[in-house]
Amino acid sequence: MTIVYVPGDSAARSIGADEVAALIAAHAAKAGIDIELRRNGSRGALWLETLVEVDNGDGRFAYGPVTPADVDSLFANNFLDAGEHPLSLGKTESIEWLATQDRVTFTRVGIIEPLSLSQYEAHGGLAGLRTALTHPDVVGEVLASGLRGRGGAGFPAGIKWRTVLEAAGDQKYVVCNADEGDSGTFADRMLMEGDPFTLIEGMAIAGIAVGATYGYIYIRSEYPSAIETMNKAIEVGRLAGVLGKSVLGSDKSFDLEVRAGAGSYVCGEETAMLESLEGKRGMVRPKPPLPAISGLFGKPTVINNVLTLASVPAIMKDGSKSYQDRGIDRSRGTQVFQLAGNIARGGIVETGFGISLSEMITRFGGGTLTGHPVKAVQVGGPLGAYLSADQLDVALDYESLAEAGAMLGHGGIVVFDQSVNMLQQARFAMEFCAAESCGKCTPCRIGAVRGVEVIDRIIAGEEREKNLELLNDLCDLMTEGSLCAMGGLTPLPVRSALVHFPLEEVAK
Amino acid sequence: MTLLHEPDLGTPAVKSDIEVELVIDGMPTRVPAGTSVMRAAALLGTAVPKLCATDSLEAFGSCRLCLVEIDGKKGTPASCTTPCEPGMVVHTQTPKLEKMRRGVMELYISDHPLDCLTCPANGDCELQDMAGVVGLRDVRYGLEGANHLDAPTDDSNPYFSFDESKCIACSRCVRACDEVQGTFALTIEGRGFDSKISPGGTDFMSSDCVSCGACVQACPTSTLQEKTVIQIGIPTRTVETTCAYCGVGCSFKAELKGNELVRMVPLKSGGANEGHSCVKGRFAWGYASHPDRQLEPMVRESITDPWRKVSWNEAITYAATRLKDVQAKYGQQSIGGISSSRCTNEEVFVVQKMVRAAFGNNNIDTCARVCHSPTGYGLKQTFGTSAGTQNFASVAKADVILLIGANPTDAHPVFASRMKRRLRQGAKLIVVDPRRIDLVRTAHIKAEHHLQLLPGTNVAIVNALAHVAATEGLLDEEFIQTRTEEKAFRDWFEFIKKPENSPESVEAISGVPASELRAAARLFATANNSAIYYGLGVTEHSQGSTMVMGMANLAMATGNIGREGVGVNPLRGQNNVQGACDMGSFPHEFSGYRHVSDDTVRHQFEELWGTALQAEPGLRIPNMLDSAIDGEFKGIFIHGEDIAQSDPNTKHVKAALGAMECVIVQDLFLNETAAFAHVFFPGTSFLEKDGTFTNAERRINRVRPIQPPKTGKHEWEIVAELSQALGYPMQYGSSAEIMDEIATSTPTFAGVSFAHLDKVGSVQWPCNEENPVGTPTMHVDGFVRGLGQFMVTPYVATEEKSNRKFPLLLTTGRILSQYNVGAQTRRTENVNWYPEDLLEMHESDAELRGIVDGSFATLSSRVGETVMKVTITDRVPPGVVYSTFHYPTSGANVVTTDYSDWATNCPEYKVTAVELRPSIKPPQEIGMAAADLGLELVNE
Amino acid sequence: MSSSSDSLVRMINQIAANSMGAHDPVAAVVKHLHSFWTPKMCSDLKSSNLTSELNAVAAQALAAL
């Protein structure tokens, strides 16, 4: 039977995927054609959404971007048998944008139906977990893979896991940080909506590795579909024995649940997230103690980002070497980049570390959407630095970016053309910090508000030198004195906007 | 003494056997592992600037003033949240740190009113201090930016004000409410710059706030400020003293300006309270200068005559003459005295001495008769000493807490905070109470078991718990073998195994499901450390003494005696119940619980006091009253107790008082009892007393005067002079000399003197040569009586039973803001929280009787009736009603009966069969009228 | 009949009822009375006309005084 794939991912649905799916189903029914309509995840080529795929037995053929208005003509052109159409993209696997990526973490996203455990297994799912159940040293394997935390800090996952493994505790936890709040990032969501079992499998492996029997996925409330999909997948997993007292029939126990956040950016900070999970106000905790030693409810806790945990099944399945072979220097494996902003071809680009920013923007992104030259690129979310046009040669890996005064963060890349006013962007960084500060530490709580006021005075031309000096002192204080990265990193976009885009220019 | 500033080391002390060595600003030091860098520096005398840190709270790390530099560590970690590590090299003062600290202060001050000179905290403000310390000279942000200067002030609490405009959002108040008090009434609303402290979105008075004042104490600025400080100004000197309310015995700094009390601040070094307090101790001291306070002695021929103010001389002579006349007419045994658990050990000691030596009989009793006399009896029988076994701090090591007939969050709030902290750490709680007290379910605490028994069935319950331990092999065999009398144990073991003591049998008696009883018993018996805490819900029963012994049995049987974290612990109602009992206030024993028939002891006192003493016990209060009605007991000296309000069966008490020919009342106020008095001696408040109180943990605390007696005479002086006038010479130069006499005559007090207490702070008796600094935990290696003695404790149902006419069981208790008969708290702003007594009843009982919430109802028992306001609640089960007894107008004791504990005659306050019917009348002015009359006549 | 005597009867009966677990209940009651009652209370009760209201143990104890 012909299988038609219409993504059920939120991004696709936001531009009419549901309607496209409904029209295709209705059209087929009316014409008496038997089709199987599958709602897969998104392939991540957001510029092609809604990306409709047809599997007529010869493989999957893609059409996109499909709007509801195109459905009639698709049928007219016999798309169910891979017929030619202005929106024809040929075989999906041959679309260059996809074919040149190296999908490891996202290997199944967009390919399978998210809640089909059989499709998941058919595409390599659960193999990693099975390996882990009998593996003598899961932590060592993860350590050897070189996997680093994908949430932003880039801390080696294996070292964190080892700390938890070696910490004494009658109960340990695995907490997945899915409070994806950075502007221009969406990989966590797409993975949870498109391939939830990968995350479940990754968490189960983490639990088995460190001796934790329970996990929490902390998903921001702005992701209702991800929450729903994860909850359903957990239920499926329990029924199938992937989760529960006996994971895949072993003597290992692991279960987990989803907790919804409450609209706070700072709850993506791991200690604030723990507070929130404990039912408290989302305020940052001082470290030490490290969560790995005293985390959720005071117990040793692995906290990793969605992408970190979702990379683990592949590492266990194919071995650490396969993962380690990808990437460069101390940035091993692949990174799930997210291209956004003023970009022609936005979406998920998973590829080994080390690709240059310019290659990312031109080869995958196709330049700016407006066609104007790139003026600035903010990498790593709202707390990431702005890189100027002459810095685009920087390689996308942890160390190269740090050297350039920037950071990889969660892999978000937001592109701006010449219309951007960098002084306003600097102001926005302070404003964002003021809006999202948890209010615990003084440099962030009061400093961000004063930062906006000082920049306003600079913009207005009031005692510019004095105010620039004050802003500089404030940035020093926030960087060195803040309790967490929220206040501590805010000066990064502020300063890069001012350093790389001189005042004369930005004040225009 | 000048104003005492207790050092603030920034973060709490850490206990560890491991020490780490480090260098701070070039100075090597050693601290227990886990100590913060801030505390280590403070111990060296280096004060790292701080605002959000204080050593009563866990480190928080928010203000970012205390940043330091540590060699080899990147950045500038906060010293409050950074634990010391071996070999650390810390720098607390560097140009970089100075600049950052100034930057932080610049931010703070950019959002703070610049009204220091007119601010109530001027001179007592940490923000002001820190601005000075970091050398802030300029606020470059200006003062025109976003700010909170227009934030409103919440003045709803009668004792303190909350001026939000001065708040620096350090969260010390919120954390104090959480960590110290455990009420969780405060929170931070909003986030970022909009963060603000909030009592749960309402004002303080409408919130869950219990007005303990921990937040006020924690506030580094004038945001939370005592209203007395706002009115009077910053105090200039400190007197360390002890609270005169409940048996917790909190140590306080009375902070004064001249002789004017500005505020009470709990003493961090106070052994009982360690810096915490409740609404009564901290704030409700205004009664001491209330206009109702009597300052001059008064006499009258007949109780229908007006009072006549007279000189001390005349009053004392008059009193002595009347007493002598009575004795001449009715015999030596016709008079007696009641000592007060509210007064100092020294005052109590001289009162009992007066009765024994000057009255020449043993008719001395104390108000402890009506509260904890069964504790004295029961623990003496089983352990050999009439006192609790632990110190309060012991609860921090308990794994299971069995709380019986006590409501600590209302009646012993400062101890309750300790208990709640331990429960939040994971200790399990079993509550035995007919009523759902707060601890059954409160913020972050949920009792494992609430055994909601019928009033009067305690003994059945404790027997059932022990039965489970005995029959399920959960006894501590080794403890029993080595520490207890074998034969007594065997008798008990045979008894407790009987089916009548099984949970299944007891379920029918108590209404508590057998399965719940079994589960609770297993929990108690199998924990490492199980501790029993109890209150008047144990003692004020016809089997109060039996129950105390039953608990002692359970503790011994499970080996929960003789170390920290365990024990049998009475929560004493009044400040000096323990002391009043220790001092020989009971008619059958001298100080130190030694029977009057013991020739050696009696001869010792006869020699010391230079007079013959009687070898037979004297009358207890109820016997005195009965005897008065019979016309045989005719004169009484009542010290600081209002028996006409506090003792059961008010009608009977009043009849007895009315039948006497000489009633002498020594008190602060013309109380209900004073209406029957012929002589009134004005007493002194605790703020004028010089002496000691002994709290529930046997801790002897100093009470120091902040001013001379307002009446012109110390209370012990009155007693000494009365004795003198009666013909028995009694002379002391000071209360310290009385304590010296106590120490000389009482082995458990042998090492106690004012000088010693002033040196070490406080001691827990026994304090003697062997234990010069006291004994925190008793019965460590052996019991005071040698081997512990199991007692057979059969359940005997009370004679007070509900029937068709009186189908409900009334039980009583007190509320946080009020204290006992309310003589003090009703004369403070505490009435704002609880302006009248309330009777709690279940909806189903109320509906049946047509009684609606908030209406008045007539409460009747076999002995009397009164009217009370009813509140409908599911805290009490159907069939049980509960009332407080703080107001004379409601007269809860009008209905309580003469039934009492079989061994000690402690009244059975906790079980009265009653009926209720709707009433349109508000409560009668019972008793109050008489007292008011007395006042009016004086004024004429 | 006096207020005291009524109370004394009730008291001694109650003491006796609660001493039934002792090895020798009568001796226990006697000991209790010696320890806590005034000699006059004992003699008053003995000479009262209420001794018929005493329970067996109480009566024996009073007789043994």
Side-chain angles (χ1 to χ4, degrees):
Chain A
M1 195 194 315
T2 307
I3 304 169
V4 179
Y5 293 87
V6 182
D9 180 272
S10 297
R13 289 167 59 205
S14 72
I15 53 164
D18 286 345
E19 204 181 340
V20 168
L23 285 172
I24 290 172
H27 207 294
K30 203 167 140 199
I33 309 166
D34 216 6
I35 61 163
E36 184 187 343
L37 183 66
R38 287 186 181 175
R39 301 301 300 268
N40 56 334
S42 168
R43 295 273 190 165
L46 295 179
W47 49 287
L48 292 175
E49 293 292 359
T50 300
L51 183 76
V52 176
E53 290 176 78
V54 172
D55 184 347
N56 60 357
D58 289 338
R60 285 163 76 153
F61 293 86
Y63 299 84
V66 176
T67 67
D70 300 319
V71 173
D72 280 349
S73 66
L74 282 171
F75 274 96
N77 288 297
N78 194 23
F79 86 116
L80 290 179
D81 202 19
E84 272 302 310
H85 184 277
L87 298 178
S88 287
L89 299 163
K91 281 209 166 174
T92 318
E93 63 199 38
S94 314
I95 298 172
E96 194 200 344
W97 193 88
L98 286 171
T100 51
Q101 294 193 27
D102 183 10
R103 293 261 170 124
V104 176
T105 308
F106 264 57
T107 184
R108 285 170 294 264
V109 180
I111 292 173
I112 62 168
E113 281 184 294
L115 294 173
S116 166
L117 193 58
S118 57
Q119 289 175 35
Y120 178 71
E121 268 199 273
H123 285 83
L126 295 182
L129 179 56
R130 289 206 171 86
T131 307
L133 283 168
T134 54
H135 198 289
D137 184 12
V138 179
V139 171
E141 196 70 32
V142 171
L143 195 59
S145 75
L147 176 66
R148 292 168 70 173
R150 297 288 187 252
F155 191 80
I159 293 180
K160 196 185 272 188
W161 289 21
R162 174 136 292 161
T163 309
V164 177
L165 174 67
E166 287 168 0
D170 50 350
Q171 172 73 57
K172 295 177 185 180
Y173 295 105
V174 177
V175 170
C176 171
N177 187 346
D179 192 47
E180 186 174 45
D182 282 359
S183 44
T185 62
F186 39 82
D188 293 351
R189 180 187 61 70
M190 290 188 113
L191 184 113
M192 290 187 289
E193 289 186 19
D195 187 17
F197 293 120
T198 295
L199 179 56
I200 292 171
E201 185 180 347
M203 289 180 72
I205 294 170
I208 285 154
V210 304
T213 54
Y214 207 82
Y216 292 90
I217 310 176
Y218 187 88
I219 308 179
R220 67 197 306 239
S221 56
E222 293 87 343
Y223 283 179
S225 298
I227 291 171
E228 194 188 332
T229 306
M230 283 311 312
N231 273 324
K232 284 181 177 164
I234 289 168
E235 213 31 64
V236 171
R238 281 186 192 136
L239 288 172
V242 176
L243 294 171
K245 291 259 172 257
S246 167
V247 172
L248 293 178
S250 70
D251 60 351
K252 299 279 199 282
S253 159
F254 190 78
D255 205 342
L256 60 91
E257 67 183 271
V258 169
R259 289 287 183 89
S264 158
Y265 178 76
V266 83
C267 283
E269 195 283 334
E270 61 180 3
T271 60
M273 185 177 63
L274 292 179
E275 292 281 297
S276 179
L277 277 173
E278 290 177 9
K280 300 180 199 153
R281 180 184 160 80
M283 290 247 261
V284 177
R285 287 182 194 171
K287 286 187 272 194
L290 292 173
I293 289 161
S294 175
L296 188 64
F297 303 112
K299 306 293 182 190
T301 304
V302 166
I303 307 174
N304 280 132
N305 174 254
V306 173
L307 300 181
T308 317
L309 290 163
S311 301
V312 170
I315 292 169
M316 291 313 295
K317 173 173 159 279
D318 301 328
S320 57
K321 180 153 192 316
S322 159
Y323 196 78
Q324 227 270 341
D325 283 346
R326 297 171 160 97
I328 57 163
D329 300 332
R330 287 169 54 205
S331 304
R332 312 309 307 185
T334 59
Q335 167 68 30
V336 181
F337 294 100
Q338 299 128 81
L339 273 173
N342 192 340
I343 192 87
R345 300 201 297 249
I348 295 286
V349 179
E350 182 174 0
T351 179
F353 283 102
I355 180 174
S356 78
L357 182 55
S358 65
E359 189 183 354
M360 179 61 73
I361 293 170
T362 50
R363 182 151 76 82
F364 285 101
T368 63
L369 183 65
T370 52
H372 299 305
V374 171
K375 177 169 173 183
V377 182
Q378 189 175 28
V379 180
L383 304 177
Y386 288 98
L387 293 161
S388 63
D390 52 15
Q391 289 178 292
L392 297 185
D393 289 338
V394 67
L396 291 171
D397 64 77
Y398 292 107
E399 275 67 34
S400 303
L401 281 165
E403 224 166 273
M407 63 169 202
L408 178 65
H410 186 44
I413 295 170
V414 179
V415 179
F416 299 83
D417 75 3
Q418 284 163 321
S419 61
V420 69
N421 178 327
M422 293 313 294
L423 198 44
Q424 287 296 339
Q425 290 306 112
R427 184 187 189 279
F428 171 74
M430 282 291 190
E431 204 183 353
F432 180 79
C433 181
E436 297 294 347
S437 165
C438 79
K440 185 164 177 176
C441 75
T442 318
C444 180
R445 177 173 61 92
I446 308 180
V449 171
R450 296 290 171 250
V452 173
E453 292 167 2
V454 172
I455 294 172
D456 277 344
R457 269 179 252 148
I458 294 168
I459 291 171
E462 286 174 35
E463 298 185 283
R464 198 168 259 189
E465 282 312 306
K466 255 178 89 174
N467 279 309
L468 277 169
E469 189 193 327
L470 179 55
L471 182 63
N472 194 45
D473 285 353
L474 177 61
C475 285
D476 278 347
L477 180 62
M478 289 177 75
T479 304
E480 295 273 354
S482 294
L483 180 58
C484 81
M486 177 84 228
L489 293 178
T490 292
L492 213 54
V494 173
R495 280 183 150 145
S496 60
L498 294 173
V499 169
H500 297 303
F501 308 91
L503 205 54
E504 296 72 36
E505 185 196 335
V506 297
K508 270 194 295 223
Chain B
M1 191 195 248
T2 52
L3 198 66
L4 172 70
H5 290 286
E6 289 184 276
D8 184 347
L9 304 178
T11 61
V14 176
K15 276 191 186 145
S16 173
D17 298 332
I18 306 164
E19 282 209 329
V20 295
E21 253 176 288
L22 71 162
V23 176
I24 300 176
D25 292 342
M27 288 186 286
T29 185
R30 290 169 73 91
V31 291
T35 302
S36 72
V37 169
M38 173 182 278
R39 187 177 174 94
L43 288 167
L44 275 176
T46 299
V48 181
K50 62 180 174 56
L51 275 170
C52 71
T54 185
D55 58 15
S56 59
L57 303 172
E58 293 301 322
F60 193 57
S62 80
C63 75
R64 316 311 284 174
L65 265 183
C66 73
L67 306 176
V68 292
E69 292 191 80
I70 299 172
D71 287 358
K73 282 205 193 278
K74 65 172 191 198
T76 48
S79 62
C80 63
T81 58
T82 306
C84 294
E85 285 168 22
M88 253 184 184
V89 178
V90 180
H91 308 278
T92 73
Q93 298 291 333
T94 67
K96 179 181 178 180
L97 294 171
E98 265 165 45
K99 190 176 176 200
M100 289 178 71
R101 287 176 187 152
R102 212 168 286 169
V104 169
M105 284 311 297
E106 197 176 7
L107 288 173
Y108 271 127
I109 303 304
S110 74
D111 183 25
H112 196 83
L114 295 181
D115 60 354
C116 285
L117 287 180
T118 53
C119 176
N122 187 17
D124 185 28
C125 171
E126 293 180 36
L127 186 70
Q128 194 180 41
D129 295 347
M130 287 307 119
V133 165
V134 306
L136 183 70
R137 299 292 174 259
D138 188 15
V139 179
R140 291 172 293 169
Y141 300 106
L143 302 164
E144 296 77 39
N147 62 59
H148 299 87
L149 304 189
D150 294 330
T153 295
D154 174 356
D155 265 326
S156 61
N157 185 293
Y159 295 119
F160 60 83
S161 149
F162 173 55
D163 180 353
E164 215 182 299
S165 71
K166 295 187 160 131
C167 179
I168 60 167
C170 65
S171 290
R172 271 163 63 164
C173 53
V174 179
R175 291 182 284 141
C177 193
D178 297 356
E179 295 173 27
V180 178
Q181 167 57 26
T183 292
F184 296 82
L186 299 180
T187 186
I188 299 176
E189 247 175 43
R191 68 180 181 217
F193 195 68
D194 298 330
S195 302
K196 62 171 197 170
I197 307 305
S198 163
T202 170
D203 65 22
F204 270 82
M205 271 313 263
S206 330
S207 74
D208 291 342
C209 167
V210 293
S211 197
C212 70
C215 57
V216 178
Q217 190 178 342
C219 182
T221 70
S222 187
T223 308
L224 283 155
Q225 184 79 66
E226 296 93 344
K227 286 184 177 172
T228 47
V229 172
I230 297 174
Q231 285 152 12
I232 305 170
I234 299 291
T236 55
R237 71 182 181 102
T238 303
V239 174
E240 288 180 42
T241 190
T242 303
C243 178
Y245 280 111
C246 77
V248 175
C250 296
S251 299
F252 275 93
K253 296 185 283 183
E255 296 193 345
L256 306 138
K257 210 162 89 173
N259 276 359
E260 186 177 20
L261 183 54
V262 178
R263 64 179 169 192
M264 296 287 279
V265 180
L267 193 67
K268 285 203 287 192
S269 59
N273 57 318
E274 295 178 295
H276 191 35
S277 75
C278 78
V279 61
K280 294 190 284 281
R282 191 192 297 263
F283 294 124
W285 38 265
Y287 69 87
S289 50
H290 193 277
D292 285 356
R293 177 100 187 259
Q294 297 301 314
L295 301 176
E296 290 173 77
M298 297 186 292
V299 300
R300 58 183 174 185
E301 187 55 35
S302 144
I303 61 166
T304 54
D305 290 344
W307 282 111
R308 206 156 48 80
K309 289 184 178 170
V310 294
S311 70
W312 274 112
N313 254 343
E314 188 179 340
I316 286 167
T317 310
Y318 182 84
T321 309
R322 267 187 100 127
L323 285 174
K324 279 195 279 192
D325 287 352
V326 168
Q327 270 187 315
K329 207 160 142 194
Y330 302 99
Q332 195 170 341
Q333 304 295 330
S334 64
I335 63 171
I338 302 177
S339 73
S340 174
S341 303
R342 315 304 318 283
C343 292
T344 62
N345 287 318
E346 295 72 18
E347 289 162 343
V348 171
F349 188 81
V350 294
V351 169
Q352 63 91 28
K353 180 177 172 182
M354 174 177 75
V355 171
R356 297 189 203 279
F359 290 9
N361 60 42
N362 283 326
N363 292 335
I364 170 71
D365 208 356
T366 170
C367 50
R369 171 68 53 210
V370 303
C371 65
H372 266 290
S373 47
T375 292
Y377 179 89
L379 295 184
K380 174 109 181 171
Q381 296 290 319
T382 47
F383 298 160
T385 189
S386 300
T389 60
Q390 313 295 121
N391 60 359
F392 287 141
S394 162
V395 77
K397 298 205 170 152
D399 301 308
V400 169
I401 296 168
L402 175 58
L403 182 66
I404 312 178
N407 184 9
T409 52
D410 278 286
H412 303 90
V414 171
F415 175 69
S417 291
R418 279 185 192 263
M419 189 182 269
K420 286 195 282 187
R421 197 175 314 151
R422 181 61 188 158
L423 292 170
R424 289 198 302 275
Q425 288 168 356
K428 304 271 190 266
L429 176 66
I430 304 165
V431 173
V432 181
D433 204 299
R435 182 170 170 266
R436 195 188 70 232
I437 58 169
D438 282 350
L439 280 171
V440 171
R441 190 86 177 89
T442 186
H444 300 284
I445 287 169
K446 187 172 182 293
E448 215 67 17
H449 302 285
H450 178 200
L451 311 181
Q452 200 165 11
L453 75 181
L454 270 176
T457 61
N458 281 334
V459 172
I461 294 283
V462 81
N463 284 346
L465 295 175
H467 173 93
V468 174
T471 55
E472 294 189 4
L474 304 176
L475 298 182
D476 187 335
E477 304 286 355
E478 195 197 325
F479 185 91
I480 292 164
Q481 267 179 27
T482 56
R483 298 288 308 272
T484 69
E485 275 183 19
E486 195 191 338
K487 183 168 179 326
F489 169 72
R490 270 194 278 121
D491 287 348
W492 175 81
F493 187 61
E494 289 311 313
F495 158 76
I496 208 73
K497 284 193 303 187
K498 288 183 185 167
E500 70 201 48
N501 292 319
S502 72
E504 290 68 25
S505 304
V506 167
E507 175 171 341
I509 297 166
S510 65
V512 178
S515 57
E516 188 91 14
L517 270 168
R518 283 199 182 272
R522 288 169 193 150
L523 180 65
F524 184 90
T526 54
N528 284 336
N529 286 339
S530 290
I532 301 173
Y533 289 87
Y534 70 96
L536 304 185
V538 157
T539 55
E540 290 176 349
H541 283 283
S542 65
Q543 279 200 294
S545 293
T546 313
M547 181 61 185
V548 172
M549 295 188 288
M551 296 185 305
N553 289 338
L554 180 63
M556 288 191 290
T558 53
N560 282 304
I561 283 286
R563 60 180 187 276
E564 286 186 289
V566 300
V568 180
N569 305 281
L571 296 172
R572 305 276 184 167
Q574 298 186 328
N575 53 323
N576 202 30
V577 179
Q578 183 68 55
C581 298
D582 300 341
M583 290 300 102
S585 285
F586 287 126
H588 65 283
E589 59 196 11
F590 291 115
S591 61
Y593 306 98
R594 292 162 299 165
H595 203 272
V596 290
S597 63
D598 182 326
D599 292 341
T600 318
V601 176
R602 198 176 62 259
H603 291 151
Q604 178 207 330
F605 276 104
E606 284 177 335
E607 197 168 312
L608 186 68
W609 292 348
T611 186
L613 299 171
Q614 299 210 330
E616 295 88 19
L619 292 166
R620 294 171 174 176
I621 296 171
N623 306 126
M624 292 182 199
L625 298 177
D626 284 344
S627 192
I629 287 172
D630 286 350
E632 290 169 1
F633 187 83
K634 286 292 189 179
I636 192 164
F637 175 89
I638 303 173
H639 191 193
E641 187 190 1
D642 190 1
I643 60 170
Q645 193 188 338
S646 65
D647 284 28
N649 194 353
T650 309
K651 209 170 115 192
H652 180 75
V653 175
K654 288 183 175 178
L657 285 168
M660 292 189 212
E661 291 180 12
C662 179
V663 175
I664 304 169
V665 167
Q666 182 163 317
D667 206 291
L668 296 179
F669 304 105
L670 278 173
N671 57 22
E672 307 306 306
T673 308
F676 299 89
H678 307 93
V679 179
F680 184 86
F681 291 142
T684 53
S685 78
F686 79 112
L687 295 171
E688 299 140 58
K689 289 187 193 299
D690 190 5
T692 56
F693 291 152
T694 307
N695 76 355
E697 43 167 11
R698 295 170 279 106
R699 186 183 299 281
I700 306 162
N701 273 312
R702 278 284 275 130
V703 186
R704 297 185 183 85
I706 65 162
Q707 57 194 200
K710 288 187 172 193
T711 57
K713 225 175 250 309
H714 282 295
E715 296 205 39
W716 59 265
E717 287 180 295
I718 305 169
V719 176
E721 286 176 27
L722 180 59
S723 294
Q724 198 94 351
L726 285 166
Y728 174 76
M730 194 193 283
Q731 269 178 325
Y732 299 100
S734 69
S735 50
E737 288 181 13
I738 305 175
M739 179 50 86
D740 292 343
E741 184 173 317
I742 296 166
T744 307
S745 59
T746 316
T748 42
F749 275 65
V752 183
S753 70
F754 282 15
H756 185 58
L757 291 172
D758 291 346
K759 201 171 95 194
V760 301
S762 64
V763 294
Q764 288 176 263
W765 67 254
C767 173
N768 42 34
E769 227 168 90
E770 240 175 279
N771 309 290
V773 289
T775 312
T777 309
M778 293 200 78
H779 318 301
V780 174
D781 298 316
F783 285 97
V784 169
R785 69 185 302 285
L787 292 174
Q789 175 162 254
F790 279 90
M791 298 292 290
V792 173
T793 54
Y795 167 67
V796 178
T798 172
E799 291 172 53
E800 178 72 359
K801 291 185 174 72
S802 56
N803 58 15
R804 262 171 59 195
K805 197 168 169 210
F806 300 107
L808 302 169
L809 288 179
L810 167 74
T811 186
T812 61
R814 72 187 191 214
I815 193 143
L816 172 67
S817 57
Q818 297 288 348
Y819 184 75
N820 289 4
V821 297
Q824 295 148 298
T825 47
R826 280 187 284 111
R827 291 180 171 97
T828 69
E829 297 292 338
N830 278 27
V831 293
N832 286 291
W833 282 277
Y834 202 67
E836 60 192 329
D837 279 322
L838 291 173
L839 182 126
E840 294 182 355
M841 81 189 292
H842 193 270
E843 193 180 7
S844 60
D845 288 331
E847 213 164 82
L848 204 65
R849 291 163 176 79
I851 295 170
V852 295
D853 192 43
S855 70
F856 292 109
T858 302
L859 172 72
S860 54
S861 75
R862 291 180 179 95
V863 303
E865 69 175 40
T866 184
V867 174
M868 293 190 77
K869 190 179 262 188
V870 171
T871 179
I872 292 174
T873 172
D874 61 357
R875 272 182 186 274
V876 288
V880 175
V881 294
Y882 165 91
S883 89
T884 53
F885 45 72
H886 304 304
Y887 285 82
T889 45
S890 51
N893 282 325
V894 170
V895 300
T896 51
T897 67
D898 290 328
Y899 289 115
S900 65
D901 173 45
W902 67 272
T904 66
N905 293 118
C906 180
E908 191 179 34
Y909 288 114
K910 301 297 183 187
V911 193
T912 309
V914 295
E915 176 57 305
L916 278 140
R917 60 178 192 276
S919 166
I920 44 164
K921 287 187 302 183
Q924 307 241 320
E925 294 288 311
I926 299 158
M928 197 62 154
D932 287 348
L933 190 70
L935 266 178
E936 263 170 40
L937 292 171
V938 168
N939 294 339
E940 262 173 13
Chain C
M1 193 178 80
S2 68
S3 165
S4 295
S5 308
D6 278 342
S7 297
L8 296 175
V9 169
R10 192 170 65 202
M11 282 166 68
I12 193 171
N13 280 338
Q14 202 189 351
I15 294 164
N18 276 281
S19 301
M20 298 312 285
H23 248 293
D24 180 349
V26 174
V29 175
V30 169
K31 187 170 174 235
H32 190 95
L33 297 183
H34 272 310
S35 296
F36 301 109
W37 282 34
T38 66
K40 185 157 187 307
M41 285 162 71
C42 299
S43 60
D44 278 358
L45 182 59
K46 267 189 168 170
S47 58
S48 78
N49 52 0
L50 296 170
T51 42
S52 59
E53 292 179 25
L54 301 185
N55 60 35
V57 170
Q60 285 175 53
L62 191 63
L65 271 180

